[in-house]
Amino acid sequence: MQTLPKERRYETLSYLPPLTDVQIEKQVQYILSQGYIPGVEFNEVSEPTEFYWTMWKLPLFGAKTSREVLAEVQSCRSQYPTHYIRVVGFDNIKQCQVLSFIVHKPNRY
């Protein structure tokens, strides 16, 4: 059994090894297949008490493929390399965010 190195955990998927771009693409495809609206957010810190993140542009209402969302993630990564970046899924029926996961953690430690 392998134990992950001791580091701060942020959200549900942070207990897994870091996601590859292919795995992120599959997660984004799940968001789209469920009819959720994807969005990209970023913030300087990722504390459990930090509820409000800055949106990268507007939610991607017209996104049909995961490649469109990943292009926005990459743009956000290049603009804010020292910030945490996450992908979120909004449910337009429930009018709320139903899932989120971090796709970029800065190298601070």
Side-chain angles (χ1 to χ4, degrees):
M1 183 163 102
Q2 178 184 1
T3 303
L4 293 174
K6 185 176 180 181
E7 64 180 47
R8 186 171 198 75
R9 301 293 176 206
Y10 301 97
E11 294 182 3
T12 304
L13 296 179
S14 70
Y15 287 89
L16 298 173
L19 297 176
T20 65
D21 286 342
V22 172
Q23 292 169 322
I24 292 170
E25 185 175 359
K26 287 181 181 179
Q27 294 296 323
V28 171
Q29 187 58 46
Y30 174 79
I31 291 171
L32 295 171
S33 70
Q34 296 301 306
Y36 301 145
I37 299 165
V40 179
E41 298 179 337
F42 63 96
N43 203 6
E44 291 180 25
V45 295
S46 179
E47 298 295 326
T49 57
E50 194 69 32
F51 298 114
Y52 301 105
W53 288 46
T54 304
M55 288 207 83
W56 172 258
K57 300 184 180 179
L58 291 173
L60 305 169
F61 295 105
K64 302 289 183 219
T65 66
S66 56
R67 294 285 177 185
E68 295 174 66
V69 179
L70 292 177
E72 293 300 331
V73 168
Q74 191 57 36
S75 296
C76 188
R77 277 182 183 168
S78 63
Q79 185 76 25
Y80 297 99
T82 61
H83 288 63
Y84 292 88
I85 300 171
R86 70 181 179 185
V87 172
V88 297
F90 296 102
D91 186 334
N92 65 341
I93 305 299
K94 296 178 183 176
Q95 296 291 310
C96 64
Q97 176 182 313
V98 292
L99 58 88
S100 70
F101 58 97
I102 293 179
V103 295
H104 176 76
K105 290 191 278 187
N107 294 327
R108 293 188 179 174
Y109 305 103

